[in-house]
Amino acid sequence: MELIQQTPDLSAYLAADEVIDHHHPLVRETAARLAADAADSYVYAKAAYEYVRDTIPHSADSGDPRVTWRASDVLAQGTGICHAKAHALTALLRAEDIPTALCYQRLEYDGASGHCAHGLVAVRFHGAWHRQDCRGNTAGLDARFSLDGERLAWVPRTGRGEMDHPVLYATPHPEVLRALKESTDRAQLWDALPNSL
């Protein structure tokens, strides 16, 4: 799949804002700790990915009802859904000057009863974008950091209405962010997340 940059200006994929708050002390501290053992930007990116994937539980897996959306809050509270975890990973990568975009899939959930947007990131290495899924591995999922072919949690099943969205966003999709900000708990968030972008 060909990924489409939302903006040709790569600096947009390094920017900080209220969601990707990579100037926050906790984000900087976490990035510095992970970078201390990293020989280069690839090793750092893999370490940051594994940190978010493995040490911050997906709230649906852990049963945590809290909704996080700001990167620093995800790190501080140690919880979030795929979108929130993608925001945290984006902040950690941008903190070390690695261009990172947000991207999405449309996936089926609850059997065939509906679809929802699933959040991913894409990192830029060697002049190309590479999608990564830091959702967290559980129930047979085996997502891994890879620049040599995608190792995502899910491959969309087009016959079931699932799809990859090719756009690389510099900031969270407005509908996803609205759902995250306006939901008081995860149950409400499930009803508020868009089913398509």
Side-chain angles (χ1 to χ4, degrees):
M1 180 185 70
E2 184 177 345
L3 298 172
I4 303 165
Q5 284 185 211
Q6 185 183 29
T7 172
D9 182 4
L10 274 182
S11 68
Y13 299 100
L14 292 168
D17 58 28
E18 71 165 337
V19 180
I20 313 299
D21 57 342
H22 64 75
H23 295 307
H24 188 281
L26 179 57
V27 178
R28 302 302 301 177
E29 174 188 312
T30 305
R33 189 173 71 250
L34 294 168
D37 296 325
D40 57 32
S41 59
Y42 170 80
V43 174
Y44 171 80
K46 184 175 186 286
Y49 167 85
E50 290 174 352
Y51 177 81
V52 173
R53 183 194 66 188
D54 299 341
T55 68
I56 300 171
H58 189 289
S59 57
D61 297 342
S62 65
D64 193 325
R66 295 176 292 168
V67 175
T68 54
W69 53 269
R70 183 178 287 116
S72 58
D73 291 339
V74 176
L75 296 176
Q77 295 182 41
T79 190
I81 66 164
C82 58
H83 302 287
K85 292 182 69 167
H87 298 166
L89 179 55
T90 299
L92 289 172
L93 295 172
R94 289 183 184 182
E96 291 295 313
D97 295 321
I98 298 170
T100 308
L102 296 160
C103 46
Y104 303 93
Q105 293 177 316
R106 180 180 194 250
L107 299 175
E108 190 176 83
Y109 78 99
D110 262 357
S113 68
H115 292 85
C116 69
H118 173 60
L120 312 165
V121 305
V123 294
R124 190 163 178 90
F125 276 98
H126 312 303
W129 290 100
H130 307 272
R131 293 190 308 164
Q132 314 294 330
D133 189 341
C134 62
R135 179 227 180 269
N137 290 333
T138 185
L141 300 180
D142 188 29
R144 295 177 185 251
F145 187 85
S146 175
L147 303 184
D148 183 27
E150 293 185 335
R151 295 291 305 269
L152 306 178
W154 293 285
V155 175
R157 300 164 297 180
T158 55
R160 299 181 78 156
E162 298 182 337
M163 64 177 286
D164 286 313
H165 292 282
V167 177
L168 298 171
Y169 293 88
T171 59
H173 190 283
E175 290 301 308
V176 170
L177 185 57
R178 179 196 56 76
L180 288 164
K181 286 177 139 183
E182 293 179 1
S183 297
T184 57
D185 60 26
R186 189 170 34 83
Q188 183 181 9
L189 177 58
W190 280 169
D191 292 333
L193 280 172
N195 63 18
S196 188
L197 301 175

